[in-house]
Amino acid sequence: MTRLVNRDRSLEELENDRWPAPSGGETRLMATVHELRRKPIGDLTVEDMRLLIGQDVGRAHLLPLAIEVLRKDPLAEGDLYEGDLLDAVLTRDAEVWSKSPDLRREVRSIVSKLADVPPTVKRDIEGFLAR
């Protein structure tokens, strides 16, 4: 299933939620998240999506984009390891999937076709499928 997403807009614009300017005291991770929220979502890299989804930022807009990537390359990787984007998607809490059963079905379809995956990803696939 393909969802229409305005890729020219940032998460700030899509969510109509502008965070206060960084004070300089935040962690590098939070400074990066803050910066990525202002980037058009169509310009986000696999690593950007992995990081934001892993922090539960912009899930409603980013999960469909991440799933598009995973359809083409289920083990797409950001900066950590092969399959790190899939891992970020799989490890969202059950509430995310109960609110988006269509996305859950897509993820189940993607992972059901995988045979040889890194052990960490395999463990998370099993956990996802068991829910």
Side-chain angles (χ1 to χ4, degrees):
M1 168 192 286
T2 303
R3 292 180 176 208
L4 296 176
V5 179
N6 187 340
R7 297 165 194 263
D8 297 328
R9 298 181 70 201
S10 68
L11 288 173
E12 278 191 346
E13 293 168 321
L14 292 166
E15 295 175 345
N16 195 26
D17 181 21
R18 295 201 185 339
W19 291 1
S23 64
E26 63 281 326
T27 66
R28 180 174 161 200
L29 173 62
M30 287 314 300
T32 301
V33 167
H34 186 42
E35 179 183 326
L36 292 175
R37 287 188 77 252
R38 292 187 271 148
K39 188 176 184 179
I41 62 171
D43 293 344
L44 294 173
T45 65
V46 167
E47 174 60 14
D48 296 340
M49 285 189 284
R50 180 205 62 80
L51 190 144
L52 289 165
I53 291 168
Q55 294 299 309
D56 290 318
V57 173
R59 290 184 314 214
H61 303 287
L62 298 180
L63 283 174
L65 295 181
I67 291 169
E68 282 182 24
V69 171
L70 295 172
R71 269 192 230 115
K72 295 175 191 164
D73 182 5
L75 297 178
E77 66 184 281
D79 292 347
L80 296 179
Y81 53 89
E82 182 182 37
D84 60 5
L85 177 61
L86 177 59
D87 239 3
V89 169
L90 292 172
T91 55
R92 296 312 86 211
D93 61 41
E95 180 183 344
V96 170
W97 304 114
S98 67
K99 291 181 178 178
S100 302
D102 54 333
L103 293 179
R104 180 177 184 182
R105 279 190 296 277
E106 287 190 67
V107 173
R108 287 180 73 87
S109 174
I110 290 166
V111 299
S112 69
K113 298 171 188 164
L114 294 177
D116 188 30
V117 296
T120 303
V121 178
K122 183 177 181 175
R123 187 172 44 251
D124 290 332
I125 288 171
E126 290 167 354
F128 178 83
L129 294 174
R131 288 190 226 156

